[in-house]
Amino acid sequence: MKGYFNNDRGFGVEIEYSRPYTVTNRAIAIAISNSGFRCKVENYNHETRNHWKIVSDSSVRATNNNQEGRNELVSPILRGQNGMRQLERVLYILNEFECTVNASCGLHVHHDVRPTIREAQKKDAQAF
C-alpha cells in the first residue's frame, strides 16, 4: 500500500533553520530538553547520537538581517508515533522561538533500511 507510515522502521531528521540573533542555540536546546527530549549543542559532526543535537551548517543562510543562519537540528533515530510526536514537538519549539526557513534550508528525512538490506543479503546467500 502506498502512503502509509511504517511504525517499525527507524527514521531520522535534519532540520536546517535560521534563528533570531536574540535567540541562542543553547536556549533552543534547553527548551527541547525541558520538553522531555534531551538535546545538546555540539560542534559540527556526522555522529549518530541518542539525543537531539544542534550543529552548525555552513550551507544555511540567514532569512533576514535580524537572523543568524548556519543552524541544523539533528534527531536521534526515531521510531513510530512516538518519534512523530517528538518531531512535531521540536518543530513547535523552533516555531515558538521564531526560527524560519528559506531556500537554503531543508528538512532531510533518513529511513533505516538496514533490516531490508540484511534480508536481501540472506536471500542472495541462500540462492547459491
Side-chain angles (χ1 to χ4, degrees):
M1 172 174 31
K2 185 176 182 179
Y4 76 98
F5 181 72
N6 184 337
N7 282 298
D8 299 322
R9 179 175 290 165
F11 66 98
V13 295
E14 300 173 8
I15 306 161
E16 297 168 343
Y17 62 95
S18 181
R19 62 180 165 78
Y21 277 118
T22 57
V23 174
T24 65
N25 278 327
R26 186 170 187 283
I28 294 169
I30 289 169
I32 292 169
S33 293
N34 286 343
S35 73
F37 313 122
R38 199 166 61 121
C39 184
K40 296 181 179 182
V41 177
E42 300 183 1
N43 292 324
Y44 180 79
N45 68 75
H46 287 282
E47 300 296 320
T48 301
R49 305 289 194 202
N50 290 325
H51 57 268
W52 289 84
K53 67 179 180 180
I54 298 174
V55 295
S56 64
D57 184 329
S58 61
S59 71
V60 178
R61 294 183 313 276
T63 301
N64 59 51
N65 291 337
N66 298 322
Q67 298 220 318
E68 173 72 30
R70 305 177 55 94
N71 308 290
E72 182 173 62
L73 179 60
V74 182
S75 77
I77 296 173
L78 303 170
R79 293 198 179 279
Q81 296 305 310
N82 180 52
M84 291 295 281
R85 282 190 291 279
Q86 280 192 49
L87 176 57
E88 181 179 22
R89 181 65 188 140
V90 165
L91 290 170
Y92 181 83
I93 290 168
L94 289 175
N95 193 51
E96 284 183 320
F97 279 102
E98 298 181 357
C99 295
T100 59
V101 297
N102 58 42
S104 72
C105 299
L107 177 96
H108 308 122
V109 180
H110 300 266
H111 298 271
D112 184 3
V113 295
R114 291 174 296 184
T116 304
I117 291 170
R118 283 192 291 270
E119 188 62 35
Q121 289 170 336
K122 279 185 198 176
K123 287 180 182 176
D124 286 346
Q126 291 171 355
F128 291 106

